[in-house]
Amino acid sequence: MKRCRTYPQVSRRWYRPIEHQCPVCQRTLRQAMTLTRRTVIRLEGVIRLIHAGYRCPDVQCAGHRRTYRSVQADALALPGMTYGLDVVRLLGRLRLREHQTVDEIHQELLARLAPLGVKIARREILYLFETYCTLLRAASEAKEDQQWLGQVEKNGGIIVSVDGIQPGVAATKRCTWCVMRSRGACW
């Protein structure tokens, strides 16, 4: 059985949505579920993230089924990822702007994460760079398509999902799944 990683310094953070009242009936929202309970590694520290989802307590309310999430918690890391978006952005900057090799980036990240008691594998650098490229491509193409942006605004956001399979023998196939929710903002 695989053992869970432990880190010497972990800060625990509880995230809840900004909204405190139901927009339909004005009743105070109540915690309905825990959306995420995971560890996120950022450049400034390791966070034990607890993300609570809130709903309207009135079953008769039209907004009862809607779950309210924390924007801050969603902005820390992509779903299913251990490393935060700040690490992904740093990696992209080092590779594309500073023209560093994967080994140089690996050494830089090891040095930055060492005070936190965190190590990162060289292969993880490649996965994170792939994620950075996916986000960059999605953001650059989306800014230019006005019809698509209008539809996103009309729908109140978008869910982007990317699924890629590495060619090869059936036993060595790898699937990458990335889901991100935005409110029409492109970064």
Coordinates of all heavy atoms in Angstrom, one line a residue, residues 35-127:
L35 N -16.1 20.0 -0.5 CA -15.8 19.8 -1.9 C -14.4 19.2 -2.1 O -14.3 18.3 -3.0 CB -15.9 21.1 -2.7 CG -17.3 21.8 -2.6 CD1 -17.2 23.2 -3.2 CD2 -18.3 20.9 -3.3
T36 N -13.4 19.6 -1.4 CA -12.1 19.2 -1.6 C -11.4 19.2 -0.2 O -11.5 20.1 0.6 CB -11.3 20.1 -2.5 OG1 -12.0 20.3 -3.7 CG2 -9.9 19.6 -2.8
R37 N -10.6 18.1 0.0 CA -9.7 18.0 1.2 C -8.4 17.4 0.6 O -8.3 16.2 0.4 CB -10.3 17.0 2.2 CG -9.6 17.0 3.5 CD -10.3 16.0 4.4 NE -11.7 16.3 4.7 CZ -12.2 16.9 5.7 NH1 -11.4 17.4 6.6 NH2 -13.5 17.2 5.8
R38 N -7.4 18.3 0.4 CA -6.2 17.9 -0.3 C -5.0 18.8 0.1 O -5.2 19.8 0.7 CB -6.3 17.8 -1.8 CG -6.6 19.2 -2.4 CD -6.8 19.1 -3.9 NE -7.1 20.4 -4.4 CZ -6.7 20.8 -5.6 NH1 -6.0 20.0 -6.3 NH2 -7.1 22.0 -6.1
T39 N -3.8 18.3 -0.2 CA -2.6 19.1 0.0 C -2.2 19.8 -1.3 O -2.2 19.2 -2.3 CB -1.5 18.1 0.5 OG1 -2.0 17.5 1.7 CG2 -0.3 18.9 0.8
V40 N -1.9 21.1 -1.2 CA -1.4 21.9 -2.3 C -0.1 22.4 -1.9 O 0.1 23.1 -0.9 CB -2.4 23.0 -2.6 CG1 -1.9 23.9 -3.7 CG2 -3.8 22.5 -3.0
I41 N 0.9 22.2 -2.8 CA 2.3 22.7 -2.6 C 2.4 24.0 -3.4 O 2.3 23.9 -4.7 CB 3.3 21.6 -3.1 CG1 3.1 20.4 -2.3 CG2 4.7 22.2 -3.0 CD1 4.0 19.2 -2.8
R42 N 2.7 25.1 -2.7 CA 2.9 26.4 -3.4 C 4.3 26.8 -3.0 O 5.0 26.2 -2.2 CB 1.9 27.4 -2.8 CG 0.4 26.8 -3.0 CD -0.6 27.9 -3.0 NE -0.3 28.9 -4.0 CZ -0.6 30.1 -3.9 NH1 -1.2 30.6 -2.8 NH2 -0.4 31.0 -4.9
L43 N 4.7 27.9 -3.7 CA 6.1 28.3 -3.5 C 6.3 28.9 -2.1 O 7.4 28.8 -1.5 CB 6.5 29.4 -4.5 CG 6.6 28.9 -5.9 CD1 6.8 30.1 -6.9 CD2 7.7 27.9 -6.1
E44 N 5.2 29.4 -1.5 CA 5.4 30.0 -0.1 C 5.0 29.0 1.0 O 5.2 29.4 2.1 CB 4.5 31.3 0.0 CG 3.1 31.1 -0.2 CD 2.7 31.4 -1.7 OE1 3.5 31.8 -2.5 OE2 1.5 31.2 -2.0
G45 N 4.6 27.9 0.7 CA 4.3 26.9 1.7 C 3.4 25.8 1.2 O 2.8 25.8 0.2
V46 N 3.3 24.8 2.1 CA 2.4 23.6 1.8 C 1.1 23.9 2.6 O 1.1 24.2 3.8 CB 3.1 22.3 2.3 CG1 2.1 21.1 2.0 CG2 4.4 22.1 1.7
I47 N 0.0 23.7 1.9 CA -1.3 24.0 2.4 C -2.2 22.7 2.5 O -2.2 22.0 1.5 CB -2.1 25.0 1.6 CG1 -1.3 26.3 1.5 CG2 -3.5 25.3 2.1 CD1 -1.8 27.3 0.4
R48 N -2.8 22.5 3.6 CA -3.8 21.4 3.7 C -5.1 22.1 3.5 O -5.6 22.9 4.4 CB -3.7 20.8 5.1 CG -4.7 19.7 5.3 CD -4.4 18.5 4.4 NE -5.4 17.5 4.7 CZ -5.8 16.6 3.8 NH1 -5.4 16.7 2.6 NH2 -6.7 15.7 4.1
L49 N -5.6 22.0 2.3 CA -6.8 22.7 1.8 C -8.1 22.0 2.1 O -8.2 20.8 1.8 CB -6.7 22.9 0.3 CG -7.8 23.5 -0.4 CD1 -7.6 25.0 -0.6 CD2 -8.0 22.9 -1.8
I50 N -9.0 22.7 2.8 CA -10.3 22.1 3.0 C -11.3 23.1 2.4 O -11.4 24.3 2.9 CB -10.6 21.9 4.5 CG1 -9.6 21.0 5.1 CG2 -12.0 21.4 4.8 CD1 -9.5 21.0 6.6
H51 N -12.0 22.7 1.4 CA -12.9 23.6 0.6 C -14.3 23.1 0.8 O -14.7 22.0 0.5 CB -12.5 23.4 -0.9 CG -13.2 24.4 -1.8 ND1 -13.1 24.3 -3.1 CD2 -14.1 25.4 -1.5 CE1 -13.8 25.2 -3.7 NE2 -14.4 25.9 -2.7
A52 N -15.1 24.0 1.5 CA -16.5 23.7 1.8 C -17.4 24.3 0.8 O -17.2 25.4 0.3 CB -16.8 24.3 3.2
G53 N -18.4 23.5 0.5 CA -19.5 23.9 -0.4 C -20.7 24.3 0.4 O -21.1 23.6 1.3
Y54 N -21.3 25.4 0.1 CA -22.5 25.9 0.8 C -23.7 26.0 -0.1 O -23.6 26.2 -1.3 CB -22.2 27.3 1.3 CG -21.4 27.4 2.6 CD1 -20.0 27.0 2.5 CD2 -21.9 27.7 3.8 CE1 -19.2 27.0 3.6 CE2 -21.1 27.7 4.9 CZ -19.8 27.4 4.8 OH -19.0 27.4 6.0
R55 N -24.9 25.8 0.6 CA -26.2 25.8 -0.1 C -27.2 26.5 0.7 O -27.1 26.6 1.9 CB -26.7 24.4 -0.4 CG -25.9 23.6 -1.5 CD -26.6 22.3 -1.8 NE -25.9 21.7 -3.0 CZ -26.2 20.5 -3.4 NH1 -27.1 19.8 -2.8 NH2 -25.6 20.0 -4.4
C56 N -28.3 26.9 0.0 CA -29.4 27.5 0.7 C -30.1 26.4 1.6 O -30.4 25.3 1.0 CB -30.4 28.1 -0.3 SG -31.9 28.8 0.5
P57 N -30.4 26.6 2.8 CA -31.1 25.6 3.7 C -32.5 25.4 3.4 O -33.1 24.3 3.8 CB -30.9 26.1 5.1 CG -30.8 27.6 4.9 CD -30.1 27.8 3.6
D58 N -33.2 26.3 2.7 CA -34.6 26.2 2.4 C -34.9 25.3 1.2 O -34.5 25.6 0.1 CB -35.2 27.6 2.1 CG -36.7 27.6 1.9 OD1 -37.3 26.5 2.2 OD2 -37.2 28.7 1.6
V59 N -35.5 24.1 1.4 CA -35.7 23.2 0.4 C -36.7 23.7 -0.7 O -36.6 23.3 -1.9 CB -36.3 21.9 1.0 CG1 -36.5 20.8 -0.1 CG2 -35.3 21.3 2.1
Q60 N -37.6 24.6 -0.3 CA -38.5 25.2 -1.2 C -38.0 26.3 -2.1 O -38.6 26.7 -3.1 CB -39.7 25.8 -0.4 CG -40.4 24.8 0.5 CD -40.9 23.6 -0.2 OE1 -41.4 23.7 -1.4 NE2 -40.8 22.4 0.4
C61 N -36.8 26.8 -1.8 CA -36.1 27.8 -2.6 C -35.7 27.3 -3.9 O -35.2 26.2 -4.1 CB -34.9 28.4 -1.8 SG -34.0 29.6 -2.7
A62 N -35.8 28.2 -4.9 CA -35.4 27.8 -6.3 C -33.9 27.6 -6.4 O -33.4 26.9 -7.3 CB -35.8 28.9 -7.3
G63 N -33.1 28.3 -5.5 CA -31.6 28.2 -5.5 C -31.1 27.1 -4.6 O -29.9 27.1 -4.3
H64 N -31.9 26.3 -4.1 CA -31.5 25.3 -3.1 C -30.5 24.3 -3.6 O -29.6 23.9 -2.9 CB -32.7 24.5 -2.6 CG -32.4 23.3 -1.7 ND1 -31.9 23.5 -0.4 CD2 -32.5 22.0 -1.9 CE1 -31.6 22.3 0.1 NE2 -32.0 21.4 -0.8
R65 N -30.6 23.9 -4.9 CA -29.7 22.9 -5.5 C -28.3 23.5 -5.9 O -27.4 22.7 -6.2 CB -30.3 22.3 -6.7 CG -31.7 21.7 -6.4 CD -31.7 20.3 -5.8 NE -31.0 19.4 -6.6 CZ -30.5 18.3 -6.2 NH1 -30.6 17.9 -4.9 NH2 -29.9 17.4 -7.0
R66 N -28.2 24.8 -5.9 CA -26.9 25.4 -6.3 C -25.9 25.4 -5.2 O -26.2 25.7 -4.1 CB -27.1 26.8 -6.8 CG -25.9 27.5 -7.2 CD -26.1 28.8 -7.8 NE -24.7 29.3 -8.2 CZ -24.6 30.3 -8.9 NH1 -25.6 31.0 -9.3 NH2 -23.3 30.7 -9.2
T67 N -24.7 24.9 -5.5 CA -23.6 24.9 -4.5 C -22.7 26.0 -4.7 O -22.2 26.3 -5.9 CB -22.8 23.5 -4.6 OG1 -23.7 22.5 -4.5 CG2 -21.7 23.5 -3.6
Y68 N -22.4 26.8 -3.7 CA -21.5 27.9 -3.8 C -20.1 27.5 -3.4 O -19.9 26.9 -2.3 CB -22.0 29.1 -2.9 CG -23.3 29.6 -3.4 CD1 -24.5 29.1 -3.0 CD2 -23.3 30.7 -4.4 CE1 -25.7 29.6 -3.5 CE2 -24.5 31.1 -4.9 CZ -25.7 30.6 -4.5 OH -26.9 31.1 -5.0
R69 N -19.1 27.9 -4.2 CA -17.7 27.5 -4.0 C -16.8 28.8 -3.7 O -17.2 29.9 -4.0 CB -17.1 26.9 -5.2 CG -17.9 25.7 -5.7 CD -17.4 25.2 -7.1 NE -16.0 24.9 -7.1 CZ -15.5 23.7 -6.8 NH1 -16.3 22.7 -6.6 NH2 -14.2 23.4 -6.8
S70 N -15.7 28.5 -3.1 CA -14.7 29.6 -2.9 C -13.9 29.8 -4.1 O -13.2 28.9 -4.6 CB -13.8 29.2 -1.7 OG -12.7 30.1 -1.6
V71 N -13.8 31.1 -4.6 CA -13.0 31.4 -5.7 C -11.5 31.3 -5.4 O -10.7 30.9 -6.2 CB -13.3 32.8 -6.2 CG1 -12.4 33.3 -7.3 CG2 -14.8 32.9 -6.6
Q72 N -11.1 31.7 -4.1 CA -9.8 31.6 -3.7 C -9.2 30.2 -3.7 O -8.1 29.9 -4.1 CB -9.6 32.2 -2.3 CG -9.8 33.7 -2.2 CD -11.3 34.0 -2.0 OE1 -12.1 33.2 -1.8 NE2 -11.5 35.3 -2.0
A73 N -10.0 29.2 -3.2 CA -9.6 27.8 -3.2 C -9.5 27.3 -4.6 O -8.5 26.5 -4.9 CB -10.6 27.0 -2.4
D74 N -10.4 27.6 -5.5 CA -10.3 27.2 -6.9 C -9.1 27.8 -7.6 O -8.5 27.2 -8.6 CB -11.5 27.5 -7.7 CG -12.7 26.6 -7.3 OD1 -12.5 25.5 -6.7 OD2 -13.9 27.0 -7.5
A75 N -8.6 28.9 -7.2 CA -7.5 29.6 -7.8 C -6.1 29.1 -7.4 O -5.1 29.5 -7.9 CB -7.6 31.1 -7.6
L76 N -6.1 28.3 -6.3 CA -4.8 27.8 -5.8 C -4.2 26.8 -6.7 O -3.0 26.8 -7.0 CB -4.9 27.2 -4.4 CG -5.2 28.2 -3.3 CD1 -5.5 27.5 -2.0 CD2 -4.1 29.2 -3.2
A77 N -4.9 25.8 -7.2 CA -4.4 24.7 -8.0 C -5.6 24.1 -8.8 O -6.7 24.2 -8.4 CB -3.8 23.6 -7.1
L78 N -5.2 23.5 -9.9 CA -6.2 22.9 -10.8 C -6.7 21.6 -10.1 O -5.9 21.0 -9.3 CB -5.6 22.5 -12.1 CG -5.2 23.7 -13.0 CD1 -4.5 23.2 -14.3 CD2 -6.4 24.5 -13.4
P79 N -7.9 21.2 -10.3 CA -8.4 20.0 -9.7 C -7.5 18.8 -10.0 O -7.1 18.6 -11.1 CB -9.8 19.8 -10.3 CG -10.2 21.2 -10.8 CD -8.9 21.8 -11.2
G80 N -7.3 18.0 -8.9 CA -6.5 16.8 -9.1 C -5.0 17.0 -9.1 O -4.2 16.1 -9.1
M81 N -4.5 18.3 -9.0 CA -3.1 18.6 -9.0 C -2.6 18.9 -7.6 O -3.3 19.5 -6.8 CB -2.8 19.8 -9.9 CG -3.0 19.4 -11.4 SD -2.4 20.7 -12.5 CE -0.6 20.6 -12.2
T82 N -1.4 18.5 -7.3 CA -0.8 18.7 -6.0 C -0.1 20.0 -6.0 O -0.1 20.7 -5.0 CB 0.2 17.6 -5.6 OG1 -0.5 16.3 -5.7 CG2 0.8 17.8 -4.3
Y83 N 0.5 20.4 -7.1 CA 1.3 21.7 -7.2 C 0.4 22.8 -7.6 O -0.5 22.7 -8.4 CB 2.5 21.5 -8.1 CG 3.5 20.6 -7.6 CD1 3.5 19.2 -8.0 CD2 4.5 21.0 -6.8 CE1 4.4 18.4 -7.5 CE2 5.5 20.2 -6.3 CZ 5.4 18.8 -6.6 OH 6.4 18.0 -6.1
G84 N 0.6 24.0 -6.9 CA -0.2 25.1 -7.2 C 0.1 25.8 -8.5 O 1.1 25.5 -9.2
L85 N -0.9 26.7 -8.9 CA -0.7 27.4 -10.1 C 0.5 28.3 -10.1 O 1.1 28.6 -11.2 CB -2.0 28.2 -10.5 CG -3.1 27.3 -10.9 CD1 -4.4 28.2 -11.0 CD2 -2.8 26.7 -12.3
D86 N 0.9 28.8 -9.0 CA 2.2 29.6 -8.9 C 3.4 28.8 -9.3 O 4.3 29.3 -10.0 CB 2.3 30.2 -7.5 CG 2.4 29.2 -6.4 OD1 2.0 28.0 -6.6 OD2 2.9 29.6 -5.3
V87 N 3.5 27.5 -9.0 CA 4.6 26.7 -9.4 C 4.5 26.5 -10.9 O 5.5 26.5 -11.6 CB 4.5 25.3 -8.6 CG1 5.6 24.4 -9.1 CG2 4.7 25.5 -7.1
V88 N 3.3 26.3 -11.4 CA 3.1 26.1 -12.9 C 3.5 27.3 -13.6 O 4.2 27.2 -14.7 CB 1.6 25.7 -13.2 CG1 1.4 25.6 -14.7 CG2 1.3 24.3 -12.5
R89 N 3.1 28.5 -13.1 CA 3.5 29.8 -13.8 C 5.0 30.0 -13.7 O 5.6 30.4 -14.7 CB 2.8 30.9 -13.2 CG 1.3 31.0 -13.6 CD 0.7 32.3 -13.1 NE 0.8 32.5 -11.7 CZ -0.2 32.3 -10.8 NH1 -1.3 31.9 -11.3 NH2 0.0 32.5 -9.5
L90 N 5.6 29.7 -12.6 CA 7.1 29.8 -12.5 C 7.8 28.9 -13.5 O 8.7 29.3 -14.2 CB 7.6 29.5 -11.1 CG 9.1 29.5 -10.9 CD1 9.7 30.8 -11.1 CD2 9.4 29.0 -9.5
L91 N 7.4 27.7 -13.6 CA 7.9 26.7 -14.5 C 7.8 27.2 -15.9 O 8.8 27.1 -16.7 CB 7.2 25.4 -14.3 CG 7.8 24.2 -14.9 CD1 7.7 23.0 -14.0 CD2 7.2 23.9 -16.2
G92 N 6.7 27.7 -16.3 CA 6.5 28.2 -17.7 C 7.4 29.4 -18.0 O 7.9 29.5 -19.1
R93 N 7.5 30.3 -17.0 CA 8.4 31.5 -17.2 C 9.8 31.1 -17.3 O 10.5 31.6 -18.2 CB 8.2 32.4 -16.0 CG 9.1 33.7 -16.2 CD 8.9 34.6 -15.0 NE 9.2 34.1 -13.7 CZ 10.5 34.0 -13.2 NH1 11.5 34.5 -13.9 NH2 10.7 33.5 -12.0
L94 N 10.3 30.1 -16.5 CA 11.7 29.7 -16.6 C 11.9 29.0 -17.9 O 13.0 29.2 -18.5 CB 12.0 28.7 -15.4 CG 12.0 29.3 -14.0 CD1 12.2 28.2 -13.0 CD2 13.1 30.4 -13.9
R95 N 11.0 28.3 -18.4 CA 11.2 27.5 -19.7 C 11.1 28.4 -20.9 O 11.9 28.4 -21.8 CB 10.2 26.4 -19.8 CG 10.4 25.5 -21.0 CD 11.6 24.7 -21.0 NE 11.8 24.0 -22.2 CZ 12.9 24.2 -23.1 NH1 13.8 25.1 -22.8 NH2 12.9 23.5 -24.2
L96 N 10.0 29.2 -21.0 CA 9.8 30.0 -22.2 C 10.5 31.4 -22.2 O 10.9 31.8 -23.2 CB 8.3 30.2 -22.4 CG 7.5 28.9 -22.6 CD1 6.0 29.1 -22.7 CD2 8.1 28.1 -23.8
R97 N 10.6 32.1 -21.1 CA 11.2 33.4 -21.0 C 12.7 33.3 -20.8 O 13.5 34.0 -21.4 CB 10.5 34.3 -20.0 CG 11.0 35.7 -20.1 CD 10.5 36.6 -19.0 NE 9.0 36.8 -19.2 CZ 8.3 37.3 -18.2 NH1 8.8 37.7 -17.1 NH2 7.0 37.4 -18.4
E98 N 13.0 32.5 -19.8 CA 14.5 32.4 -19.4 C 15.2 31.3 -20.2 O 16.4 31.2 -20.1 CB 14.6 32.0 -17.9 CG 13.8 32.9 -17.0 CD 14.3 34.4 -17.0 OE1 15.5 34.6 -17.2 OE2 13.4 35.3 -16.8
H99 N 14.5 30.5 -21.0 CA 15.1 29.5 -21.9 C 15.9 28.5 -21.1 O 17.0 28.0 -21.6 CB 15.9 30.1 -23.0 CG 15.1 31.1 -23.8 ND1 14.1 30.7 -24.7 CD2 15.2 32.4 -23.9 CE1 13.6 31.8 -25.2 NE2 14.2 32.9 -24.8
Q100 N 15.5 28.1 -19.9 CA 16.2 27.1 -19.1 C 15.8 25.7 -19.6 O 14.7 25.5 -20.0 CB 15.9 27.3 -17.6 CG 16.5 28.6 -17.1 CD 16.3 28.6 -15.6 OE1 15.8 27.7 -14.9 NE2 16.7 29.8 -15.0
T101 N 16.8 24.8 -19.4 CA 16.5 23.4 -19.7 C 15.7 22.8 -18.6 O 15.5 23.4 -17.5 CB 17.8 22.6 -19.9 OG1 18.5 22.6 -18.6 CG2 18.7 23.2 -20.9
V102 N 15.2 21.6 -18.8 CA 14.4 20.9 -17.8 C 15.3 20.6 -16.6 O 14.8 20.7 -15.4 CB 13.8 19.5 -18.4 CG1 13.1 18.7 -17.3 CG2 12.9 19.8 -19.5
D103 N 16.5 20.3 -16.8 CA 17.4 20.0 -15.6 C 17.6 21.3 -14.8 O 17.7 21.2 -13.6 CB 18.7 19.4 -16.1 CG 18.6 18.0 -16.6 OD1 17.7 17.3 -16.0 OD2 19.3 17.6 -17.5
E104 N 17.8 22.4 -15.5 CA 18.0 23.7 -14.8 C 16.7 24.1 -14.0 O 16.8 24.5 -12.9 CB 18.4 24.8 -15.8 CG 19.7 24.7 -16.4 CD 20.0 25.6 -17.5 OE1 19.0 26.1 -18.1 OE2 21.2 25.9 -17.8
I105 N 15.6 23.9 -14.6 CA 14.3 24.1 -13.9 C 14.2 23.2 -12.7 O 13.7 23.7 -11.7 CB 13.1 24.0 -14.9 CG1 13.2 25.0 -16.0 CG2 11.8 24.1 -14.2 CD1 12.2 24.8 -17.2
H106 N 14.5 22.0 -12.9 CA 14.4 21.0 -11.8 C 15.3 21.4 -10.6 O 14.8 21.4 -9.5 CB 14.8 19.6 -12.3 CG 14.7 18.5 -11.3 ND1 15.6 17.6 -11.1 CD2 13.6 18.3 -10.5 CE1 15.2 16.8 -10.1 NE2 14.0 17.1 -9.8
Q107 N 16.5 21.9 -10.9 CA 17.4 22.3 -9.9 C 16.9 23.6 -9.2 O 16.9 23.7 -7.9 CB 18.8 22.6 -10.4 CG 19.5 21.3 -10.9 CD 19.6 20.3 -9.8 OE1 20.0 20.6 -8.6 NE2 19.3 19.0 -10.1
E108 N 16.3 24.5 -10.0 CA 15.7 25.7 -9.4 C 14.5 25.4 -8.5 O 14.4 26.0 -7.4 CB 15.3 26.7 -10.5 CG 14.5 27.8 -10.1 CD 15.2 29.1 -10.2 OE1 16.3 29.2 -10.8 OE2 14.7 30.1 -9.6
L109 N 13.6 24.6 -8.9 CA 12.5 24.2 -8.1 C 12.9 23.4 -6.9 O 12.3 23.6 -5.8 CB 11.5 23.4 -8.9 CG 10.6 24.3 -9.9 CD1 9.7 23.4 -10.7 CD2 9.8 25.3 -9.2
L110 N 13.9 22.5 -7.0 CA 14.4 21.8 -5.8 C 14.9 22.8 -4.8 O 14.6 22.7 -3.6 CB 15.4 20.8 -6.2 CG 15.0 19.5 -6.8 CD1 16.2 18.7 -7.3 CD2 14.1 18.7 -5.8
A111 N 15.6 23.8 -5.3 CA 16.2 24.8 -4.3 C 15.1 25.7 -3.7 O 15.2 26.0 -2.5 CB 17.2 25.7 -5.1
R112 N 14.1 26.0 -4.5 CA 13.0 26.9 -3.9 C 12.1 26.1 -3.0 O 11.5 26.6 -2.0 CB 12.1 27.4 -5.0 CG 12.8 28.6 -5.8 CD 11.8 29.3 -6.6 NE 12.5 30.3 -7.4 CZ 11.9 31.5 -7.7 NH1 10.7 31.7 -7.3 NH2 12.6 32.3 -8.4
L113 N 11.9 24.8 -3.2 CA 11.0 24.0 -2.4 C 11.7 23.3 -1.2 O 11.1 22.8 -0.3 CB 10.3 22.9 -3.3 CG 9.4 23.5 -4.4 CD1 8.9 22.3 -5.2 CD2 8.2 24.2 -3.8
A114 N 13.1 23.3 -1.2 CA 13.8 22.6 -0.2 C 13.5 23.2 1.2 O 13.4 22.4 2.2 CB 15.3 22.7 -0.4
P115 N 13.4 24.5 1.4 CA 13.0 25.0 2.8 C 11.7 24.5 3.3 O 11.4 24.5 4.5 CB 13.0 26.5 2.6 CG 13.8 26.8 1.4 CD 13.6 25.6 0.5
L116 N 10.8 24.1 2.4 CA 9.5 23.6 2.8 C 9.5 22.1 3.0 O 8.5 21.5 3.5 CB 8.5 23.9 1.6 CG 8.4 25.3 1.1 CD1 7.4 25.4 -0.1 CD2 7.9 26.2 2.3
G117 N 10.6 21.4 2.8 CA 10.8 20.0 2.9 C 10.1 19.2 1.8 O 9.7 18.1 2.0
V118 N 10.0 19.8 0.6 CA 9.3 19.2 -0.5 C 10.4 19.0 -1.6 O 11.2 19.8 -1.9 CB 8.3 20.2 -1.1 CG1 7.6 19.6 -2.3 CG2 7.2 20.5 0.0
K119 N 10.3 17.8 -2.2 CA 11.1 17.4 -3.4 C 10.1 17.3 -4.6 O 8.9 17.0 -4.4 CB 11.8 16.1 -3.1 CG 12.8 16.2 -2.0 CD 13.5 14.9 -1.9 CE 14.5 15.0 -0.7 NZ 15.2 13.7 -0.5
I120 N 10.7 17.5 -5.7 CA 9.9 17.3 -7.0 C 10.7 16.5 -7.9 O 11.9 16.7 -8.1 CB 9.5 18.7 -7.6 CG1 8.6 18.6 -8.8 CG2 10.7 19.5 -7.9 CD1 8.0 19.8 -9.2
A121 N 10.0 15.6 -8.6 CA 10.7 14.7 -9.6 C 10.9 15.4 -10.9 O 10.1 16.3 -11.2 CB 9.9 13.4 -9.8
R122 N 11.9 15.0 -11.6 CA 12.2 15.6 -12.9 C 11.0 15.4 -13.9 O 10.6 16.2 -14.6 CB 13.5 15.0 -13.5 CG 13.9 15.6 -14.8 CD 15.2 15.0 -15.3 NE 15.6 15.6 -16.5 CZ 15.2 15.4 -17.7 NH1 14.2 14.5 -17.9 NH2 15.7 16.0 -18.8
R123 N 10.4 14.2 -13.8 CA 9.3 13.9 -14.7 C 8.1 14.8 -14.3 O 7.3 15.1 -15.2 CB 8.9 12.4 -14.5 CG 7.8 12.0 -15.4 CD 8.2 12.0 -16.8 NE 7.1 11.8 -17.7 CZ 7.0 12.2 -18.9 NH1 8.0 12.8 -19.5 NH2 5.9 12.0 -19.7
E124 N 7.9 15.1 -13.1 CA 6.8 16.0 -12.7 C 7.0 17.4 -13.3 O 6.0 18.1 -13.7 CB 6.8 16.2 -11.1 CG 5.6 16.9 -10.6 CD 4.3 16.2 -10.7 OE1 4.3 14.9 -10.7 OE2 3.3 16.8 -10.9
I125 N 8.2 17.8 -13.6 CA 8.5 19.1 -14.3 C 7.8 19.0 -15.7 O 7.2 20.0 -16.1 CB 10.0 19.4 -14.4 CG1 10.6 19.4 -13.0 CG2 10.3 20.6 -15.2 CD1 10.3 20.6 -12.2
L126 N 8.0 17.9 -16.3 CA 7.5 17.8 -17.7 C 5.9 17.8 -17.6 O 5.3 18.4 -18.5 CB 8.0 16.5 -18.3 CG 9.5 16.5 -18.5 CD1 9.9 15.1 -19.0 CD2 9.9 17.5 -19.5
Y127 N 5.3 17.1 -16.7 CA 3.9 17.1 -16.5 C 3.4 18.5 -16.3 O 2.4 19.0 -16.9 CB 3.4 16.2 -15.4 CG 3.6 14.7 -15.6 CD1 4.0 13.9 -14.6 CD2 3.4 14.2 -16.9 CE1 4.2 12.5 -14.8 CE2 3.6 12.8 -17.1 CZ 4.0 12.0 -16.0 OH 4.1 10.7 -16.2

